[in-house]
């Protein structure tokens, strides 16, 4: 993706729809997705202005989301095959997604989308060392896309039966899927969290032992025994663990969340994990 990549958010669900490449110039609109072998899940192309599209010369099917001036979804054409055309009355833009993404991301007619800047919201730990003797704190960027304070987000983070966290929750997202890392960190930063991400399970224990995370979100399907990966360090330094998977089975203990499920569900799990961690620390301190 180019540096001008945006993030598309569904305002109804609060979920990230895609990391989006804008095509707002004649040549870019004309080229579209022609020549590409695929459009990966999590990527998108926003054509504007564009009341209609065609898929001539394309190699794969797409989902086409027709939007009005306010980015409200007027019409969705799912799995539009090559050498087809589609349009919608009143459309001013078209968001092209991989085939099946609208159903997967719960995008419906009547939803309103929002285009947001994608900036350095992550504290990246891609090459965090595995040798504790050479461990050092990750490089930190406090730049948040939408500047926010804990007080401003108290109504989003506090449940009626519990107080809001005393400090901004530090979340470490562990996944080899760069789209999941990027989109999840963007949405968590919007809620006032301080976010680290890593593609490697190795070295996570150093982050925990160094007190660099309150809650870890780890993708089960990408790593072998993810809970065991952090269990030993978590015993020494209590940390909340939230496990996600592409296709979670209902028999997992603890419960595994759907990787691309509703963001509110993931955020609620992170909130609960952070609250349990705070409670455990308070109990240990009083004991």
């Amino acid at each position: 993706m180019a540096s001008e990549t945006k993030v598309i958010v569904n305002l109804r669900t609060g979920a990230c729809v895609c990391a989006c490449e804008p095509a707002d110039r004649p040549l870019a609109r004309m080229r579209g997705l022609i020549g590409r072998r695929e459009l990966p899940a999590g990527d998108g192309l926003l054509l504007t202005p564009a009341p209609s599209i065609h898929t001539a010369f394309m190699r794969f099917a797409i989902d086409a989301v027709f939007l009005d001036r306010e980015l409200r979804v007027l019409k969705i054409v799912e799995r539009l095959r090559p050498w087809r055309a589609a349009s919608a009355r009143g459309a001013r833009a078209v968001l092209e997604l991989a085939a099946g993404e609208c159903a997967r991301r719960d995008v419906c007619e009547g939803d309103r989308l929002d285009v947001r800047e994608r900036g350095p919201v992550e504290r990246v730990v891609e090459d965090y060392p595995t040798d504790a003797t050479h461990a050092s704190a990750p490089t930190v960027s406090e730049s948040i896309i939408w500047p926010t304070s804990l007080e401003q987000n108290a109504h989003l983070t506090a449940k009626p039966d519990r107080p809001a966290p005393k400090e901004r929750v530090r979340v470490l997202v562990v996944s080899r899927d760069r789209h999941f890392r990027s989109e999840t960190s963007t949405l968590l930063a919007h809620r006032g969290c301080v976010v680290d991400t890593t593609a490697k399970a190795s070295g996570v224990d150093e982050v925990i032992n160094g007190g660099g995370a309150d809650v870890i979100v780890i993708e089960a399907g990408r790593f072998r025994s993810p809970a065991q990966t952090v269990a030993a360090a978590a015993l020494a330094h209590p940390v909340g663990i939230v496990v996600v998977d592409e296709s979670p089975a209902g028999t997992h203990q603890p419960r595994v969340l759907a990787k691309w499920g509703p963001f509110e569900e993931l955020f609620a799990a992170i909130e609960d994990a952070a609250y349990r961690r705070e409670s455990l620390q308070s109990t240990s301190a009083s004991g």
Side-chain angles (χ1 to χ4, degrees), residues 20 40 54-55 65 72 97 167 186 224:
C20 177
H54 68 80
T55 56
V65 182
R72 194 172 302 279
L97 302 169
E167 299 177 352
T186 296
R224 181 180 300 175

Side-chain angles (χ1 to χ4, degrees), residues 161-238:
D161 59 342
R162 70 178 59 167
K166 297 176 182 178
E167 299 177 352
R168 297 171 68 185
V169 177
R170 298 165 300 173
V171 182
L172 175 63
V173 180
V174 186
S175 171
R176 291 179 183 151
D177 185 338
R178 66 182 180 88
H179 294 298
F180 180 74
R181 296 197 310 271
S182 175
E183 295 171 18
T184 301
S185 64
T186 296
L187 293 171
L188 289 175
H190 190 200
R191 291 296 179 91
C193 298
V194 176
V195 188
D196 293 345
T197 72
T198 180
K200 302 176 181 179
S202 60
V204 170
D205 54 341
E206 280 92 353
V207 177
I208 299 173
N209 290 330
D214 301 318
V215 177
I216 292 180
V217 176
I218 188 165
E219 184 177 356
R222 302 283 179 137
F223 302 104
R224 181 180 300 175
S225 303
Q228 282 80 2
T229 302
V230 296
L235 288 174
H237 299 272

